[in-house]
Amino acid sequence: MRGLEHLRRHGLTVWRFAERGFDAAAGSALNPLRHLGAIGFLAFWALAASGIVLYIVLDTSVDGAYRSIAALDEVPFSGGVLLRGLHRYAADTLVVAMGLHLLREWLHGHEHGFRRYSWLTGVPLVGFVFAAAIGGFWINWDQLGQFSAIATAEWLDALPLLATPLARNFLGAGTVSDRLFSLFIFVHLGVPLLLLFGLWFHVRRITHAAVLPPRPVALGVLAALAAMALAAPVRSHAPAALAAVPELLRLDWIVLFAHPLTYATSPAFVWVLAGGAMIALFVLPFLPAPARTPARAPVAIVDPASCNGCRRCLADCPYAAITMVPHPRGRRHHALAVVDADLCASCGICAGACPPAKPVRDAPRPVRDAPRPVTGIDMPQLPIADLHARVHAALSGARAAHPIVVFGCDHGARAGGLGGAGVHAFSLLCIGQLPPWFVERALRDGAAGVLVAACRAGGCEFRFGERWMRDRLERRRQPRLRRGVASRRLEIAFAGRDDTALLERALERLRRRVQRVTHGAEPGPGASHA
């Protein structure tokens, strides 16, 4: 276990280094390493679209399949070449994106806790993808398809469950019939349907699932696939001849790597390798969590007396942990939010979406000056009211002429590390926990400026924290920051865990702008995007 965690820790360091490189080149919002799952979906849709066209022109018989596919090379303007290449390279893209997505989630320790369901439903998809991709080579029924079919049959023959060898009984000279070829078609078309069904299960417990990457990323991937299809066209080998052994094959090493591995070692070795890998993937969520992973945090709690059934928490929850039920007190047209503890990520995004109810007026005198907000849903480990009281107390005792409040995130750049006189930093469970009215209250309580530090675009630990926060403060999502708030005193910085320097520069910009505002200048609002 210690060696595994050592590997994970160093792997995560390398992964973050690669992410920063892509961030610098394309911006974090368009970083393909932050959209691997969506890129996999895009590859699947490209496979489905090109596969439908290929099936239309396919002659589903042993004698006609090769001729019908080879005829695509004669389509004018390289249309058939583009179609075949798009289908082949989209399969490779799906395999690569799936592998990188799996690796990324493991490096971040996302196989545990509330994400366990997504991990366990994603593992079988690995087998479905390879089964569908390998079966696609058989349909062409050229020498490469013949090699793949025989290699697969010999691999299956290593199982003790089969009484007679598949390779000898079904793939011998003169034994390949149209009925067997119909089985090939079923494998290549039926397994993707199972894959699609499995993908639905995989994303069922997350909201706003990304089934397509951002448009520039999607267009870039499709353009790259088209360029590869034209630069390295996919051509058929010679027709399959079971009486002869192919001498030279152009292998797709991404999809068909298991075949040469089987012949280099043994079918039993590959079965142990593949079976051991699948078992390990299924077992990982039940092993002890990484040392850096915090213990299971308390989940969100709903206050029925304050919940008005506005459904904002339902709309903003990233993991479908909130449902609405009729209000138990029989309030007409009112619903009550209910939290599923097994799905709750303890991120606090729901608390940031909840509008405050009426303040408590009978609070003690020190608190009455800043009425204690009451929300319909809150996090017991960091209640909104307690956080508000801490901000109010810090500003009440501030001695600096122009105090600045910094709201950060436990998973982003460390706001608590910011120094300087008059800086009061507060870290939230997720920046999405920050209600927009906190900015207004902080300015009203005496803050000269407010710096909101979120994770990089697309890098939120809880998927939507930085996005919902930005949309709320930019008045595109409820609850919105009021238009009367002096936005020139607000700075938004998108900084990852290792981006403290970026956060310090954002703080310095806000300081300079606050000083100019104090002396009568009126600059516009600032935002720092990484």
Side-chain angles (χ1 to χ4, degrees):
M1 287 297 298
R2 187 173 301 175
L4 187 63
E5 288 311 311
H6 180 78
L7 178 63
R8 191 201 301 253
R9 183 169 59 253
H10 286 278
L12 183 58
T13 301
V14 175
W15 185 273
R16 285 174 172 165
F17 178 80
E19 277 191 342
R20 289 196 297 271
F22 278 97
D23 286 344
S28 58
L30 301 180
N31 186 339
L33 294 182
R34 302 186 187 277
H35 302 285
L36 292 169
I39 290 175
F41 265 104
L42 174 65
F44 179 82
W45 303 134
L47 277 167
S50 58
I52 290 173
V53 179
L54 287 170
Y55 185 71
I56 291 174
V57 302
L58 177 68
D59 182 344
T60 58
S61 66
V62 177
D63 297 328
Y66 180 86
R67 291 194 304 269
S68 62
I69 295 179
L72 290 173
D73 296 342
E74 307 302 325
V75 174
F77 307 109
S78 300
V81 174
L82 180 62
L83 182 64
R84 293 187 64 184
L86 179 64
H87 195 67
R88 167 77 68 84
Y89 294 126
D92 292 339
T93 302
L94 175 56
V95 172
V96 172
M98 175 184 66
L100 291 177
H101 178 62
L102 184 67
L103 175 63
R104 182 184 188 275
E105 296 304 299
W106 177 73
L107 290 176
H108 285 82
H110 288 173
E111 73 273 22
H112 292 90
F114 60 92
R115 295 184 176 94
R116 179 182 294 174
Y117 174 87
S118 296
W119 178 276
L120 292 176
T121 55
V123 171
L125 303 183
V126 177
F128 290 157
V129 167
F130 275 102
I134 292 174
F137 287 89
W138 307 344
I139 295 178
N140 191 13
W141 205 234
D142 60 356
Q143 289 183 349
L144 180 59
Q146 169 189 328
F147 166 77
S148 177
I150 293 176
T152 303
E154 291 177 347
W155 183 59
L156 293 174
D157 286 340
L159 291 175
L161 303 177
L162 301 177
T164 57
L166 293 175
R168 186 183 66 193
N169 287 356
F170 297 100
L171 294 173
T175 61
V176 178
S177 63
D178 289 347
R179 179 174 297 180
L180 180 61
F181 205 76
S182 298
L183 177 61
F184 292 170
I185 299 291
F186 172 78
V187 170
H188 190 54
L189 299 184
V191 174
L193 294 178
L194 293 176
L195 175 61
L196 182 62
F197 189 61
L199 286 170
W200 176 79
F201 268 100
H202 185 55
V203 302
R204 190 174 67 88
R205 287 191 176 183
I206 60 176
T207 58
H208 309 283
V211 296
L212 286 175
R215 182 174 297 178
V217 177
L219 294 177
V221 171
L222 293 177
L225 292 177
M228 291 173 61
L230 296 175
V234 175
R235 304 289 188 185
S236 297
H237 291 69
L242 292 172
V245 178
E247 295 183 359
L248 181 63
L249 297 175
R250 299 183 299 275
L251 280 181
D252 184 328
W253 288 93
I254 296 178
V255 175
L256 301 179
F257 70 91
H259 296 337
L261 180 62
T262 300
Y263 289 122
T265 56
S266 68
F269 174 82
V270 177
W271 270 115
V272 171
L273 186 65
M278 293 298 288
I279 292 173
L281 291 175
F282 275 114
V283 170
L284 279 175
F286 303 99
L287 298 178
R292 67 179 183 277
T293 303
R296 177 64 165 151
V299 301
I301 296 178
V302 177
D303 179 7
S306 303
C307 178
N308 63 7
C310 68
R311 297 177 180 268
R312 292 177 186 172
C313 58
L314 172 68
D316 283 8
C317 179
Y319 297 100
I322 298 175
T323 54
M324 306 301 295
V325 299
H327 203 285
R329 297 189 178 181
R331 295 182 180 179
R332 191 176 182 184
H333 305 303
H334 274 227
L336 178 70
V338 176
V339 177
D340 187 332
D342 292 332
L343 302 182
C344 181
S346 304
C347 61
I349 292 177
C350 55
C354 185
K358 60 182 180 180
V360 178
R361 297 296 182 183
D362 55 352
R365 180 72 185 178
V367 182
R368 200 186 312 160
D369 296 334
R372 183 179 177 87
V374 180
T375 57
I377 190 168
D378 212 341
M379 303 306 299
Q381 65 272 45
L382 187 61
I384 291 295
D386 290 355
L387 183 60
H388 172 259
R390 288 167 50 198
V391 175
H392 179 72
L395 292 173
S396 298
R399 298 182 180 180
H402 306 293
I404 292 179
V405 173
V406 180
F407 294 111
C409 168
D410 288 348
H411 301 276
R414 298 300 183 186
L418 296 176
V423 177
H424 305 281
F426 303 91
S427 186
L428 287 75
L429 304 175
C430 171
I431 201 60
Q433 189 187 8
L434 178 70
W437 54 266
F438 253 54
V439 176
E440 178 184 357
R441 292 283 182 90
L443 296 173
R444 184 186 302 172
D445 287 346
V450 175
L451 171 61
V452 179
C455 295
R456 287 178 179 261
C460 177
E461 177 72 9
F462 304 106
R463 300 181 62 230
F464 297 131
E466 50 84 18
R467 187 193 303 182
W468 293 164
M469 177 279 303
R470 180 191 58 206
D471 289 349
R472 294 166 188 167
L473 296 184
E474 294 179 357
R475 304 182 180 91
R476 296 197 301 264
R477 190 178 187 87
Q478 291 284 2
R480 300 187 180 96
L481 181 67
R482 290 201 318 157
R483 293 193 177 276
V485 176
S487 55
R488 61 187 178 273
R489 297 180 182 269
L490 172 65
E491 181 83 10
I492 305 175
F494 296 92
R497 184 179 294 272
D498 302 320
D499 297 327
T500 304
L502 189 151
L503 198 57
E504 291 174 346
R505 291 196 296 270
L507 176 61
E508 185 59 30
R509 281 196 302 272
L510 179 60
R511 275 201 180 109
R512 291 198 299 266
R513 193 164 68 246
V514 165
Q515 290 173 358
R516 291 196 297 267
V517 170
T518 303
H519 289 86
E522 295 291 335
S528 171
H529 297 266

